[in-house]
Amino acid sequence: MRALQALKAHERTVLVLHHLLDLPVQQVARETGLSEGAVRTRLSRARRALAAHLRDAESPHPPTTHPRQKTTRKRKEVPTLG
């Protein structure tokens, strides 16, 4: 329960609807007003975050970084005409 509570509300919502209530992605999309792609994305992120929280809970030492720390992507250089 603690790991589920640690998720962001929108991640917890899609995870519970899909995995605990066994709703298909299409129905989760209808229930939440999201696109099917957005539901799949949120499910993927929620699963990763939940796994990290569960790993941390089993670890005897607290994590040194937040499990969902975002990484920055380098922007692709686009040549300009001129």
Side-chain angles (χ1 to χ4, degrees), residues 44-62:
S44 177
R45 290 178 181 161
R47 288 179 194 123
R48 274 196 312 262
L50 185 62
H53 287 294
L54 292 173
R55 271 193 310 274
D56 292 346
E58 293 175 355
S59 173
H61 303 289

Side-chain angles (χ1 to χ4, degrees), residues 18-71:
H18 184 66
H19 289 292
L20 298 181
L21 297 179
D22 205 27
L23 298 181
V25 169
Q26 298 84 357
Q27 190 170 350
V28 174
R30 282 193 303 271
E31 295 291 330
T32 59
L34 299 168
S35 69
E36 290 180 27
V39 170
R40 286 187 188 93
T41 298
R42 288 183 182 190
L43 280 170
S44 177
R45 290 178 181 161
R47 288 179 194 123
R48 274 196 312 262
L50 185 62
H53 287 294
L54 292 173
R55 271 193 310 274
D56 292 346
E58 293 175 355
S59 173
H61 303 289
T64 55
T65 59
H66 192 278
R68 295 179 346 157
Q69 208 168 26
K70 290 188 177 183
T71 58

Side-chain angles (χ1 to χ4, degrees), residues 1-7 49-50 53-54:
M1 275 313 273
R2 284 188 200 137
L4 277 174
Q5 290 171 339
L7 296 177
L50 185 62
H53 287 294
L54 292 173

